[in-house]
Amino acid sequence: MPNSLLIKKKIRKFNKIISVSGDKSISIRWVLLASLASGVSKAQNLLISEDVQAAIQAVRKLGIKVVMRDKFCKIYGNGLNGFKYKKNLTINAENSGTLGRLILGFLINTTIPIKLIGDQSLSKRDFKRVSDPLSKFGAILKLKNKKNLPLVIQGSKNLKPISYLEKKGSAQCKSSVIFAGLRTKGTTIIKAKKSRNHTELMCNYLRLPVSVKRKKKYDEIKVKKVKKIKPFDYKIPSDISSSAFFIVLTVLSKNSKLVVKNVNINQSRIGVIQILKKMGADIIFKNKKTYKGEKIADIQIRGGKTLNAINCPSKLNSGAIDEFLVIFLVAAKAKGISYFKDLAELNHKESPRLKWSSKILNMIGIKNTVTESTIKIYGNPDLELKKQIVIKDYLKDHRVFMTGVIAALSFGGKWKIHNKESIKTSFPNFLNIIKELKKND
Ligand code: S3P
């Protein structure tokens, strides 16, 4: 199979109902929490992607039995002390920041050193942001260059609770400290800038000792030592971050309509919808329901509406943090100059995404000015491409790949996008859904 994708023409109108795969954040959290439960937990619609497989491999290495069958996954938890910490154990988080950072919270009580490694992209990312708070519990974390993987964690049986101020709006840092707090006597107190709250909702559903006081800008979270986690079944809803690519494709396609079924619309994740609606997109939620504390709905999008530039309020950033690459494609086609600020975190993702956004906009001939944390995009409603475009050397960032595909299908031109395999980390089914939308094209 050639590993680059060629796209030679725009998509024409479509009218379809699709389902995208399970939410990645929820899938990884379920694997980790189920592995410490006392008994067998079962998940349906678990995301089967490299990031989640890496989470399954990690808990297997820690002695937990996992059985995968089609879209079902069974985890045989052995209780809170069920992990078998062996000498010379290495856990490979591969490309997953979520797995790499969250699992450290669970490993905080290992008295045997455990090594954490990752792929080329993860090895460039900042792990000091989690090793700093975790070492305050009394664990020792040694990192390469004091910042990166490989990392060695040696925890302790005598952990001390901490007070932690999470200022970046990182759900990974917040969750890692919540999980460490669950293994620590006393009360851990976290003041966290708003970020996705799947960990808190799952803990609440499981009646774990995690309480949350929601304030305007910060959440105040108190965590106590957990006594037992009951096994729990979970039907994973579809991922809004994966849906976002098709939402944007529809918004940019005249006379098209799409329904994405059963998507997680947690308030802390719907920034993409809020931003696109402010720009004039026609998007509505249908069949809303609540499942284990998470909100779910079908998302209906009608394309081809007039799109206006946005001066994006920073308060919408955290809910759209994984979606800005594709959101910027809408700004490229909007009327007027869009401005996005306070986005320094984007350069801490699988690739430096703010820089890559600017590169892609340059490739498609859209004037933009970028700094370390802001981007100004000069939209062109008549944007139509004829030229050749090649995307490569992007650290195999799945979202850069998928953004390239959506740009090609929306704006035309002849595209060659390298490293098709990059989508396997989060959304292996992505290109099959594109095929489905192109039927009758
Ligand atoms: C995630 C949190 C976010 C997000 C990532 C998934 C999570 O990262 O970008 O894709 O599941 O907790 P940060 O915590 O670095 O913001």
Side-chain angles (χ1 to χ4, degrees):
M1 185 174 77
N3 80 343
S4 40
L5 179 71
L6 301 175
I7 303 179
K8 293 188 186 140
K9 64 175 187 162
K10 273 171 69 158
I11 197 162
R12 289 208 342 204
K13 69 170 183 185
F14 52 86
N15 184 346
K16 290 265 157 70
I17 299 174
I18 59 166
S19 292
V20 305
S21 34
D23 184 88
K24 182 150 69 92
S25 293
I26 298 179
S27 293
I28 293 176
R29 284 160 173 79
W30 177 81
V31 169
L32 295 175
L33 277 167
S35 71
L36 285 187
S38 308
V40 186
S41 302
K42 198 161 89 187
Q44 240 185 85
N45 199 39
L46 188 78
L47 170 65
I48 311 291
S49 77
E50 285 177 355
D51 281 9
V52 182
Q53 302 276 14
I56 289 172
Q57 262 326 99
V59 300
R60 278 188 176 137
K61 275 212 161 177
L62 292 162
I64 303 298
K65 180 176 160 190
V66 182
V67 176
M68 297 284 299
R69 216 157 269 138
D70 205 14
K71 278 196 173 169
F72 284 94
C73 175
K74 266 188 188 174
I75 297 192
Y76 294 72
N78 284 330
L80 291 170
N81 297 315
F83 283 170
K84 293 196 178 82
Y85 297 134
K86 289 188 206 142
K87 270 191 188 159
N88 300 323
L89 192 66
T90 298
I91 287 175
N92 189 347
E94 295 181 18
N95 190 250
S96 175
T98 304
L99 171 61
R101 292 181 179 136
L102 267 54
I103 203 166
L104 291 172
F106 286 84
L107 298 179
I108 193 93
N109 67 352
T110 174
T111 47
I112 294 175
I114 294 177
K115 192 169 180 182
L116 179 68
I117 59 170
D119 71 359
Q120 198 202 355
S121 151
L122 195 64
S123 303
K124 286 184 194 287
R125 296 177 70 184
D126 171 19
F127 270 73
K128 189 173 175 322
R129 57 175 62 193
V130 273
S131 68
D132 277 352
L134 294 182
S135 48
K136 285 207 205 135
F137 281 94
I140 301 166
L141 292 103
K142 289 192 183 134
L143 297 91
K144 185 179 162 195
N145 307 326
K146 301 205 163 123
K147 191 170 177 191
N148 302 113
L149 300 185
L151 162 167
V152 176
I153 179 166
Q154 183 168 12
S156 156
K157 292 270 178 235
N158 299 309
L159 301 165
K160 301 179 295 292
I162 67 165
S163 282
Y164 168 54
L165 177 61
E166 197 294 302
K167 292 192 252 180
K168 295 185 198 300
S170 162
Q172 294 174 354
C173 295
K174 172 180 72 177
S175 302
S176 189
V177 172
I178 292 177
F179 292 139
L182 285 173
R183 280 177 155 336
T184 305
K185 261 194 201 152
T187 307
T188 293
I189 298 172
I190 304 165
K191 191 175 163 197
K193 190 170 166 193
K194 300 275 179 191
S195 63
R196 66 187 67 189
N197 66 346
H198 304 299
T199 300
E200 295 91 308
L201 292 181
M202 213 176 256
C203 288
N204 184 47
Y205 167 73
L206 289 170
R207 297 180 186 282
L208 306 188
V210 176
S211 68
V212 183
K213 253 197 209 145
R214 299 179 69 80
K215 300 270 168 79
K216 205 161 173 221
K217 288 204 168 158
Y218 284 84
D219 286 338
E220 223 174 77
I221 305 168
K222 289 188 178 159
V223 187
K224 292 193 171 138
K225 191 165 186 195
V226 60
K227 295 200 177 83
K228 190 178 175 171
I229 301 177
K230 61 176 186 192
F232 65 117
D233 295 350
Y234 210 108
K235 210 168 154 187
I236 316 276
S238 294
D239 197 321
I240 191 156
S241 296
S242 299
S243 310
F245 295 98
F246 302 108
I247 294 173
V248 166
L249 182 63
T250 314
V251 165
L252 294 175
S253 301
K254 261 195 198 144
N255 302 320
S256 293
K257 184 182 163 195
L258 186 74
V259 175
V260 193
K261 297 288 287 173
N262 219 40
V263 184
N264 178 269
I265 54 153
N266 180 317
Q267 189 63 27
S268 63
R269 295 286 299 278
I270 54 170
V272 58
I273 310 283
Q274 294 165 323
I275 293 171
L276 296 183
K277 280 175 101 163
K278 273 182 185 288
M279 298 178 83
D282 177 352
I283 306 175
I284 52 172
F285 294 144
K286 289 183 143 183
N287 303 323
K288 279 196 204 169
K289 55 188 180 221
T290 303
Y291 175 78
K292 301 194 174 175
E294 292 283 358
K295 297 267 185 295
I296 296 168
D298 300 336
I299 304 178
Q300 179 191 288
I301 312 104
R302 285 177 196 274
K305 302 282 177 253
T306 304
L307 299 164
N308 296 309
I310 185 172
N311 182 357
C312 188
S314 319
K315 66 169 192 244
L316 298 181
N317 287 354
S318 99
I321 196 66
D322 290 339
E323 281 63 74
F324 279 104
L325 282 159
V326 264
I327 289 172
F328 295 156
L329 297 184
V330 180
K333 186 86 180 168
K335 207 170 133 200
I337 304 168
S338 292
Y339 183 61
F340 301 84
K341 56 184 177 294
D342 296 328
L343 284 175
E345 272 297 294
L346 278 193
N347 283 331
H348 289 277
K349 301 295 175 190
E350 286 86 328
S351 71
R353 283 193 186 146
L354 199 52
K355 289 185 186 146
W356 261 100
S357 301
S358 174
K359 270 192 201 177
I360 294 173
L361 292 168
N362 288 336
M363 286 178 196
I364 62 174
I366 291 293
K367 183 178 163 192
N368 66 93
T369 45
V370 68
T371 68
E372 278 305 303
S373 63
T374 67
I375 189 163
K376 209 182 227 182
I377 300 170
Y378 296 73
N380 172 9
D382 301 321
L383 180 61
E384 210 49 77
L385 297 174
K386 294 220 162 54
K387 59 180 181 174
Q388 296 204 349
I389 294 178
V390 179
I391 299 197
K392 59 179 183 180
D393 301 330
Y394 55 93
L395 283 166
K396 297 191 191 177
D397 180 345
H398 51 136
R399 294 200 168 104
V400 170
F401 180 92
M402 293 188 276
T403 299
V405 173
I406 301 304
L409 294 172
S410 307
F411 306 139
K414 289 196 170 33
W415 292 66
K416 183 175 186 181
I417 313 172
H418 287 232
N419 299 105
K420 191 153 98 177
E421 72 283 6
S422 59
I423 51 172
K424 288 186 186 165
T425 59
S426 73
F427 196 2
N429 204 27
F430 173 72
L431 290 173
N432 292 333
I433 299 179
I434 295 283
K435 255 192 215 151
E436 182 64 31
L437 296 183
K438 276 178 148 180
K439 263 187 204 160
N440 316 322
D441 196 8

